[in-house]
Amino acid sequence: MDAYEDLQQATLHDIPRSECLQLLGVARVGRIVFADDEGPVALPVNFRMDGESVLFRVSPASEMCLRLNEAKVSFQVDRLDDFHQTGWSVLVRGTSSYVESEDLPVLRSTRPLPWARGFRPVYVRVQPTQISGRRLVDD
Amino acid sequence: MDAYEDLQQATLHDIPRSECLQLLGVARVGRIVFADDEGPVALPVNFRMDGESVLFRVSPASEMCLRLNEAKVSFQVDRLDDFHQTGWSVLVRGTSSYVESEDLPVLRSTRPLPWARGFRPVYVRVQPTQISGRRLVDD
């Protein structure tokens, strides 16, 4: 045990589901977590919530796209403060699938708009089976 | 195709391996990406680099700990700017394993020190098989 172990001030607290959804609702970027033949990976994508599901867009030419059709995935969002060593994270576990045009949000301005240039016409939805979050509080 | 699709200004560029290592060297928090029975997940942990491998600490009582012994994992670090819609991300793919005391960095101050209170005596190393990164540049 290190001598300065005592300096740790922060405690982990669970975030209630309703608050997880609030945090997801205002976040604009997260990480899609999926598996390919080499194992699990996480890649940042910008997203929007559609009710309780996560919506983002991918290129049909990407390896990621191939792996997101009816797959077990997670979507992870956090805000972490290096300096204060505090922060929160939310994890959505569920199933990803391609979204048909008629199942997209009617209001176009509420759909995700990719930050990066390029052709990303495939909408992917993560339908949650579990939403959980933790906050590291300096008490 | 949305009319305001044209507003996208940013382009994705690969980050050279040497620069990925520099970014990992100054970062203090990232996400360990592993799989349990329900699929892939990502959880934030604070970490330190030890040469080209990632080092962090976990609780022996955690589900995560159980899943990190000789497992295929990734470690993901990013810095993303919601407002400017730019940022970078680095992905380390490799194998995780528990670290014996004698294989820890000699200098204690270079070892990772958990932010959260709690007993986390198990050091985990991610030995990379692949390190890659991407930067979203507003050009």
Side-chain angles (χ1 to χ4, degrees):
Chain A
M1 189 77 62
D2 296 26
Y4 52 133
E5 212 89 322
D6 296 327
L7 295 174
Q8 294 162 229
Q9 296 278 342
T11 315
L12 276 172
H13 299 272
D14 286 336
I15 302 176
R17 192 178 191 281
S18 58
E19 198 184 334
C20 289
L21 284 166
Q22 283 177 354
L23 291 166
L24 289 166
V26 292
R28 286 293 175 269
V29 67
R31 294 147 206 101
I32 176 70
V33 187
F34 62 100
D36 64 19
D37 293 340
E38 305 299 313
V41 286
L43 290 177
V45 291
N46 60 299
F47 76 105
R48 295 294 291 266
M49 294 300 285
D50 177 24
E52 298 199 347
S53 68
V54 176
L55 217 57
F56 58 94
R57 288 165 60 173
V58 297
S59 160
S62 63
E63 165 77 13
M64 170 162 69
C65 184
L66 204 67
R67 302 292 179 167
L68 296 181
N69 194 22
E70 306 300 329
K72 281 185 176 176
V73 300
S74 292
F75 197 82
Q76 195 266 353
V77 176
D78 60 34
R79 180 133 314 187
L80 305 163
D81 182 335
D82 269 25
F83 183 73
H84 293 101
Q85 306 196 340
T86 54
W88 58 263
S89 68
V90 170
L91 186 71
V92 177
R93 305 194 69 155
T95 306
S96 63
S97 54
Y98 305 150
V99 188
E100 307 273 354
S101 301
E102 59 265 32
D103 295 329
L104 287 173
V106 177
L107 201 60
R108 291 174 87 82
S109 63
T110 64
R111 299 179 187 174
L113 193 65
W115 292 358
R117 245 188 226 116
F119 184 56
R120 289 183 178 74
V122 182
Y123 284 81
V124 175
R125 184 188 302 278
V126 177
Q127 193 69 49
T129 51
Q130 191 189 321
I131 299 177
S132 59
R134 293 189 307 177
R135 191 186 297 278
L136 191 58
V137 181
D138 186 352
D139 40 16
Chain B
M1 189 75 63
D2 295 26
Y4 53 133
E5 211 88 324
D6 296 327
L7 294 175
Q8 295 163 230
Q9 295 278 342
T11 315
L12 275 173
H13 298 271
D14 286 337
I15 302 176
R17 191 178 193 279
S18 58
E19 198 184 333
C20 288
L21 284 166
Q22 283 176 354
L23 291 166
L24 289 166
V26 293
R28 287 293 176 268
V29 67
R31 294 146 205 101
I32 177 70
V33 187
F34 62 100
D36 63 20
D37 293 339
E38 304 299 313
V41 285
L43 290 177
V45 292
N46 61 299
F47 76 105
R48 295 294 291 267
M49 294 300 285
D50 178 23
E52 297 199 347
S53 69
V54 176
L55 216 58
F56 58 94
R57 288 165 59 173
V58 297
S59 161
S62 62
E63 166 77 14
M64 169 162 70
C65 184
L66 204 68
R67 302 291 178 168
L68 296 181
N69 195 22
E70 306 299 329
K72 281 185 176 177
V73 301
S74 292
F75 197 84
Q76 196 266 352
V77 176
D78 60 33
R79 180 134 312 189
L80 305 162
D81 182 336
D82 268 26
F83 183 73
H84 294 102
Q85 305 196 339
T86 55
W88 57 262
S89 68
V90 170
L91 186 71
V92 177
R93 306 193 68 156
T95 306
S96 63
S97 54
Y98 304 151
V99 188
E100 306 272 354
S101 301
E102 59 265 33
D103 295 329
L104 287 173
V106 177
L107 201 61
R108 291 175 88 82
S109 62
T110 65
R111 300 180 187 173
L113 193 65
W115 292 359
R117 247 188 224 114
F119 184 56
R120 289 182 179 74
V122 182
Y123 285 82
V124 175
R125 183 187 301 279
V126 177
Q127 193 68 48
T129 51
Q130 192 189 322
I131 299 177
S132 60
R134 294 190 306 176
R135 191 186 297 279
L136 191 58
V137 180
D138 187 352
D139 40 17

